[in-house]
Amino acid sequence: MDLFQSATKADALPLSDHVLFKGDDIDEARAAVAEVYCDHRLETIGRQPFAAQHNRISGKALSINVMTYGAKTLIAPGALEGFYLFQFPVRGHASINNGTNRHEIGGGTSGVINPEASTSMIWSEDCVQVMLQIEKKALIETARAEVGLPAGTSLQFAGANKLRNGEGRAFLGLLNFIMKGSEGDDALLGSDTLLGKQLERTLMVGLLQTQSHNFSSIVASNTGPMPRIIRSAESYMHENLRAPIMIEDIACAAGTSVRNLQGAFRNRYGRSPMTVLRDLRLELAWEELSNPTQTTRVTDVATELGFFHLGRFAEIYRKKFGCTPVETLRAALPTEGFRPF
């Protein structure tokens, strides 16, 4: 099926060899969808009979889904939390409310739902959508690596986007290629191969290039992908967040001089490599303090990440996150037996 062409009712849905659910019981459909997405409210509107089908192939960080409910349908999942959801109707249309982001998709336009905002949707009768479910962490990491999303910056999509220009057609062409290549049991996604990983990465980059978001102006101003020096340096940083590395180590791993490394980071981010490394470590500290065990202590988290001056650590942590490390830990642990240090 060409995703630019509206499907007729008689057409078989894409990914027909990978049916997750098919049936006319609304409670069974809700349960099946909740297993792979999240719990949600599902109601029919009008008299059209309910006839759901959900086809799906899964990769490591994303899945491609084709869905229809037959009837005009209200879907209200609240906040998706752990994933972004790209939607492109190949038949019919949908009204999307995602926090303050409200838009209509269909007729060649698409949209992305942000994970943090409460969401509700109304799909028209016989609406068929191709959707990408992408792990929040994976898409943000891709945005950092490919288009320079600053550490600590949220990625927020907005509005409907036409996909009939060159980049849009190329993006949908890749989706077509993957779905057609997944006929039978030979799914291109999900296999632990270099091709599978690269296809996922390319889909995420395509999403960043074709959908409107709060970083679109930076994406448009970039003349190409992130320089190899920065990609290599950031990869080394991520692998060594707990290690006592110096700027010379990072430059060596990136295959360049310290001066060139500093210049590349200044041009890309307006910050030094060591400041970027510090922010990455602060984000890991926040993750560990927000998801603690009974033995988690601020001192241990800080020193393991190279912050040996606890007063300075608390100061830069509060500047970045608006609260102290102790407050983060206290909010995540029961009061009884709370021992921050």
Side-chain angles (χ1 to χ4, degrees):
M1 176 188 296
D2 185 342
L3 297 185
F4 283 111
Q5 297 176 354
S6 298
T8 68
K9 294 184 180 181
D11 286 334
L13 298 186
L15 299 180
S16 58
D17 293 328
H18 301 273
V19 178
L20 180 72
F21 174 82
K22 185 175 183 178
D24 57 7
D25 188 296
I26 193 168
D27 293 324
E28 290 181 5
R30 182 191 300 111
V33 174
E35 284 289 323
V36 294
Y37 284 151
C38 58
D39 196 16
H40 59 287
R41 175 183 168 197
L42 181 64
E43 297 179 3
T44 57
I45 304 172
R47 300 180 179 180
Q48 184 82 0
F50 182 83
Q53 183 169 342
H54 183 178
N55 303 340
R56 176 184 176 92
I57 53 173
S58 298
K60 299 297 182 182
L62 59 80
S63 65
I64 300 176
N65 302 263
V66 180
M67 289 188 65
T68 184
Y69 289 109
K72 187 176 182 180
T73 309
L74 167 69
I75 308 116
L80 304 181
E81 296 185 352
F83 60 92
Y84 290 89
L85 188 64
F86 163 82
Q87 298 184 103
F88 178 72
V90 295
R91 185 170 73 219
H93 61 273
S95 301
I96 312 297
N97 291 316
N98 179 224
T100 59
N101 180 19
R102 296 176 172 84
H103 55 276
E104 296 276 336
I105 55 176
T109 62
S110 62
V112 179
I113 294 175
N114 297 304
E116 301 87 358
S118 182
T119 299
S120 64
M121 303 172 273
I122 294 179
W123 291 20
S124 69
E125 291 182 357
D126 296 315
C127 181
V128 176
Q129 294 218 46
V130 173
M131 302 186 292
L132 281 177
Q133 179 190 20
I134 305 176
E135 291 180 3
K136 176 182 175 181
K137 181 179 180 181
L139 187 57
I140 289 176
E141 288 179 352
T142 300
R144 286 179 184 167
E146 296 292 339
V147 298
L149 180 73
T153 302
S154 64
L155 180 63
Q156 297 292 313
F157 292 85
N161 302 270
K162 293 185 180 298
L163 292 182
R164 294 187 179 277
N165 60 13
E167 286 188 343
R169 294 188 72 89
F171 177 62
L172 292 182
L174 178 60
L175 272 174
N176 253 331
F177 168 76
I178 295 173
M179 288 190 290
K180 289 181 178 179
S182 299
E183 294 175 355
D185 296 326
D186 298 325
L188 296 177
L189 298 184
S191 59
D192 192 18
T193 64
L194 182 60
L195 175 61
K197 294 175 182 178
Q198 188 60 49
L199 286 173
E200 290 192 35
R201 183 83 167 195
T202 304
L203 283 172
M204 287 188 276
V205 172
L207 198 73
L208 294 169
Q209 291 179 333
T210 61
Q211 305 297 300
S212 301
H213 49 77
N214 61 331
F215 215 58
S216 293
S217 60
I218 304 299
V219 175
S221 67
N222 287 340
T223 57
M226 178 173 290
R228 179 196 58 80
I229 289 174
I230 296 180
R231 290 200 307 270
S232 299
E234 291 195 346
S235 177
Y236 181 78
M237 290 178 187
H238 280 286
E239 293 170 0
N240 293 277
L241 290 178
R242 300 180 191 278
I245 59 175
M246 301 175 67
I247 191 168
E248 291 81 3
D249 300 314
I250 301 171
C252 182
T256 190
S257 67
V258 169
R259 182 176 180 179
N260 285 343
L261 181 72
Q262 290 174 327
F265 272 76
R266 289 290 182 190
N267 289 337
R268 193 76 184 194
Y269 298 135
R271 297 183 296 162
S272 71
M274 298 309 287
T275 301
V276 172
L277 176 61
R278 185 199 67 183
D279 283 347
L280 292 174
R281 286 172 167 166
L282 285 172
E283 290 179 8
L284 181 55
W286 182 87
E287 289 181 11
E288 294 192 355
L289 293 172
S290 299
N291 301 278
T293 67
Q294 288 296 328
T295 60
T296 299
R297 302 289 179 265
V298 171
T299 301
D300 296 336
V301 171
T303 55
E304 286 178 6
L305 291 170
F307 299 103
F308 298 105
H309 191 298
L310 294 184
R312 175 59 177 160
F313 171 64
E315 178 185 347
I316 60 176
Y317 185 100
R318 177 165 50 190
K319 185 176 180 180
K320 183 173 180 63
F321 299 112
C323 61
T324 66
V326 173
E327 289 169 341
T328 301
L329 182 58
R330 181 184 291 118
L333 278 176
T335 303
E336 183 179 352
F338 173 69
R339 294 175 55 211
F341 300 102

